[in-house]
């Protein structure tokens, strides 16, 4: 069965062009000229993907995607925004609203097809992963140990793929997961809770799959626009992992590891104990590994400098309870073994 695409744009020219490009690749395409027409269409139809213009009269793209995501019958349909804007704020707002990507207008046929194919493939991957997790969960009584190994190996493979995007941070996700589990252990968390935090740590940067390699590996200072794009990776990661409904808290580390204890973090600006405890732990571990690892623009920071930064962030960037545990771990590491090699 061919992929089914709904294109929503108030420009007849854009609709005809998108339809021509996509149908030439064997896709089934429906076109509507407004957000209201799109909502009406979706009452009786469920396409595989929606291409949605941002600037439309009466009901713009942001209002339309909000209505789509609030309806349980359409909330899981992936949306790609169409825009002629070169505005990082629009991209950030769109990603927070649930869009999975952006395509610039006027269309470049090759780019349009690649973006559409990439999102369709990613959604199938998510669906298949969620389906596999559900199947394995049903067999948990007789295959518990085997399931745990499969999940961990899958997550390890995925975290390795994430780290491979940046040659300077290879092993970052595994180290963050290890540090997070140790902090949780010292804080008195149960073994099950420690293992859950370990998995969350492994996947905390999964959203970087959606960030350009050119930005991730840039050796010079990021522009404001590039930094805004980097800041979308927690939202992207949360959107990816929320589809694994059998492990609903798996997204916690990915979504909130860049929140700050003082509320000045992102993407949601939550503070203190509003931030899930697992994310507060992963935040400290992530920052520690970032400082103790070699980056494209610097070598590993000296241990005393790393310690000073963790101390400085206690109560502002970090939950003081978990910052104190990390400080204890640093003090015990007299030979500075706890760093990237």
């Amino acid at each position: 069965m061919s992929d089914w695409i709904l294109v929503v744009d108030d420009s007849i020219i854009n609709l005809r062009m998108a339809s021509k490009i996509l149908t030439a690749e064997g896709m089934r395409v429906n076109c509507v000229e407004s957000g209201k027409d799109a909502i009406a269409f979706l009452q009786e139809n469920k396409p595989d993907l929606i291409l949605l213009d941002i600037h439309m009269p009466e009901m713009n793209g942001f209002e339309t995607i909000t209505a789509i995501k609030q309806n349980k019958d359409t909330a899981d349909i992936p949306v790609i925004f169409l825009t002629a804007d070169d505005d990082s704020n629009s991209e950030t707002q769109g990603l927070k609203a649930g869009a999975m990507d952006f395509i610039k207008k006027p269309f470049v046929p090759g780019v349009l097809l690649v973006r559409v194919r990439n999102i369709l493939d990613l959604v199938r991957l998510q669906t298949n992963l969620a389906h596999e997790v559900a199947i394995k969960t049903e067999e948990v009584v007789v295959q518990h140990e085997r399931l745990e190994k499969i999940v961990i190996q899958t997550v390890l493979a995925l975290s390795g793929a994430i780290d491979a995007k940046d040659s300077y941070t290879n092993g970052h996700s595994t180290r963050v997961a290890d540090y997070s589990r140790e902090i949780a252990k010292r804080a008195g968390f149960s073994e099950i809770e420690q293992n859950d935090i370990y998995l969350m740590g492994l996947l905390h940067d999964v959203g970087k799959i959606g960030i350009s390699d050119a930005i991730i590996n840039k050796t010079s200072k990021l522009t404001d626009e590039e930094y805004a794009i980097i800041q979308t990776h927690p939202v992207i990661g949360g959107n990816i992992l929320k589809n694994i409904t059998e492990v609903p808290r798996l997204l916690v580390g990915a979504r909130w590891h860049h929140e700050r204890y003082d509320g000045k973090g992102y993407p949601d600006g939550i503070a203190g104990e509003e931030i899930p405890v697992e994310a507060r732990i992963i935040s400290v571990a992530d920052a520690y590994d970032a400082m103790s690892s070699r980056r494209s623009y610097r070598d590993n920071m000296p241990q005393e400098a790393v310690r000073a930064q963790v101390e400085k962030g206690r109560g502002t960037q970090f939950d003081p309870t978990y910052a104190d545990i990390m400080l204890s771990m640093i003090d015990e590491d007299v030979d500075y073994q706890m760093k990237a090699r």
Side-chain angles (χ1 to χ4, degrees):
M1 185 178 295
S2 61
D3 294 309
W4 186 10
I5 315 297
L6 173 65
V7 186
V8 188
D9 197 305
D10 61 335
S11 166
I12 296 295
I13 293 174
N14 288 335
L15 291 177
R16 288 176 178 171
M17 183 178 299
S19 180
K20 180 179 180 181
I21 294 169
L22 297 172
T23 53
E25 292 297 311
M27 298 182 189
R28 175 184 174 189
V29 179
N30 284 90
C31 298
V32 296
E33 298 178 30
S34 71
K36 289 185 177 180
D37 288 344
I39 298 303
F41 178 86
L42 293 171
Q43 289 178 354
E44 297 184 4
N45 302 279
K46 191 170 183 179
D48 299 306
L49 176 68
I50 300 171
L51 301 181
L52 178 61
D53 186 26
I54 292 181
H55 298 296
M56 297 183 292
E58 296 186 49
M59 190 175 188
N60 66 32
F62 297 123
E63 294 168 331
T64 305
I65 194 174
T66 297
I68 291 170
K69 296 303 179 182
Q70 287 177 345
N71 184 335
K72 63 180 179 62
D73 295 326
T74 58
D76 61 339
I77 302 175
V79 176
I80 298 178
F81 268 135
L82 306 175
T83 179
D85 294 343
D86 190 14
D87 179 3
S88 61
N89 289 331
S90 293
E91 291 198 12
T92 302
Q93 183 180 353
L95 290 168
K96 286 184 176 180
M100 295 190 71
D101 203 353
F102 282 75
I103 296 176
K104 299 293 185 182
K105 296 190 293 184
F107 306 127
V108 176
V111 173
L112 176 66
L113 287 171
V114 168
R115 292 291 179 89
V116 168
R117 286 292 186 198
N118 282 348
I119 294 301
L120 289 170
D121 289 345
L122 178 59
V123 170
R124 289 193 185 95
L125 175 63
Q126 294 171 356
T127 302
N128 291 339
L129 180 57
H131 179 64
E132 286 301 315
V133 171
I135 290 175
K136 296 304 177 184
T137 301
E138 292 174 2
E139 301 171 354
V140 69
V141 174
V142 293
Q143 297 189 38
H144 182 67
E145 291 186 2
R146 179 171 178 268
L147 174 60
E148 284 188 338
K149 290 179 181 178
I150 290 172
V151 171
I152 291 173
Q153 289 171 359
T154 301
V155 172
L156 281 168
L158 183 55
S159 68
I162 299 161
D163 287 352
K165 286 176 69 70
D166 183 352
S167 59
Y168 287 94
T169 59
N170 191 30
H172 169 71
S173 297
T174 302
R175 291 190 300 274
V176 169
D178 286 336
Y179 301 153
S180 299
R181 181 164 55 186
E182 180 62 21
I183 293 171
K185 179 181 179 180
R186 295 183 182 214
F189 285 65
S190 70
E191 187 172 344
I192 291 175
E193 290 169 331
Q194 293 172 39
N195 290 336
D196 287 346
I197 278 187
Y198 179 77
L199 291 178
M200 292 178 195
L202 285 174
L203 293 176
H204 78 283
D205 268 345
V206 68
K208 287 185 177 178
I209 286 176
I211 305 299
S212 165
D213 289 357
I215 294 177
I216 289 177
N217 290 296
K218 187 176 180 181
T219 56
S220 57
K221 184 178 179 181
L222 296 177
T223 65
D224 290 343
E225 180 180 4
E226 289 168 339
Y227 186 64
I229 292 172
I230 281 284
Q231 286 185 309
T232 65
H233 82 268
V235 174
I236 296 171
N239 286 339
I240 290 172
L241 296 179
K242 73 181 180 182
N243 292 284
I244 306 178
T245 56
E246 293 299 322
V247 193
R249 290 188 63 76
L250 195 58
L251 63 83
V252 166
R255 173 85 191 195
W256 291 295
H257 68 284
H258 279 297
E259 298 293 350
R260 289 173 53 105
Y261 198 68
D262 59 9
K264 296 179 181 179
Y266 61 90
D268 299 313
I270 53 180
E273 295 190 4
E274 291 180 299
I275 306 169
V277 64
E278 300 94 340
R280 281 179 270 150
I281 289 173
I282 291 169
S283 173
V284 180
D286 182 42
Y288 174 85
D289 189 69
M291 291 185 286
S292 61
S293 299
R294 187 168 66 93
R295 293 302 174 95
S296 58
Y297 49 88
R298 62 157 171 80
D299 205 346
N300 311 64
M301 289 174 59
Q303 188 183 45
E304 59 271 19
V306 176
R307 191 192 191 286
Q309 289 300 313
V310 174
E311 178 72 41
K312 181 180 178 181
R314 184 185 181 279
T316 53
Q317 183 175 354
F318 310 123
D319 184 320
T321 297
Y322 305 117
D324 285 344
I325 293 175
M326 177 55 78
L327 289 169
S328 295
M329 291 166 60
I330 294 171
D331 291 341
E332 293 171 15
D333 183 24
V334 293
D335 296 323
Y336 200 13
Q337 295 298 307
M338 198 167 61
K339 64 180 179 180
R341 300 293 175 182

